[in-house]
Amino acid sequence: VQLVESGGASVQAGGSLKLSCVTSRAIFTSCGMGWGRQISGQERDLIATFSTDGKEFYAESVKGRFIISRDNAEKTIDLQMNSLTPEDTAMYYCVADCPQSGSPNPRRYWGQGTQVTVSS
């Protein structure tokens, strides 16, 4: 499963960044997609997702500051991040939850990640 992230950078607190993930049409149309992150010393967590039926999810830590969107023509999932704080410093990953034959549970795939560093 190809998930290619871009847009990570170093920014100052209060700034904004937009991350983008591009994938194949097959993945884009059949999988729930979103973004997760891993803060140093912590586990990877989902922070914003689209389910296959279009429902959005935001973790409490980013709700009201981050916005997930999708471009059907470009097959991208974007994450607009506003009002960034040093606590948002993390590796950010594109995530796809894809159906798998023989199981009621989807299989989760992670991209390679893109680093976001927020300085105070």
Side-chain angles (χ1 to χ4, degrees), residues 3-6 35 44 91-94 110-115:
L3 302 167
V4 181
E5 304 100 332
S6 63
W35 289 89
R44 278 189 299 195
M91 184 71 78
Y92 285 72
Y93 298 90
C94 186
W110 299 82
Q112 292 299 306
T114 185
Q115 178 68 36

Side-chain angles (χ1 to χ4, degrees), residues 17-37:
L17 274 178
K18 186 175 184 178
L19 306 181
S20 186
C21 170
V22 62
T23 188
S24 68
R25 178 164 297 281
I27 297 301
F28 190 81
T29 57
S30 63
C31 303
M33 297 201 63
W35 289 89
R37 70 183 181 186

Side-chain angles (χ1 to χ4, degrees), residues 13-14 25 29 40 44 47 56 70 95 98 103 111 114:
R25 178 164 297 281
T29 57
S40 180
R44 278 189 299 195
I47 56 171
E56 294 180 16
R70 57 190 296 156
V95 180
C98 300
S103 173
T114 185

Side-chain angles (χ1 to χ4, degrees), residues 71-85:
D71 186 322
N72 293 331
E74 298 296 327
K75 302 180 296 296
T76 59
I77 297 289
D78 295 334
L79 185 68
Q80 177 66 44
M81 306 187 295
N82 303 316
S83 302
L84 287 163
T85 74

Side-chain angles (χ1 to χ4, degrees), residues 40-62:
S40 180
Q42 299 182 22
E43 295 184 352
R44 278 189 299 195
D45 292 316
L46 293 181
I47 56 171
T49 63
F50 276 116
S51 66
T52 51
D53 58 2
K55 294 179 181 177
E56 294 180 16
F57 159 81
Y58 291 97
E60 285 299 321
S61 58
V62 306

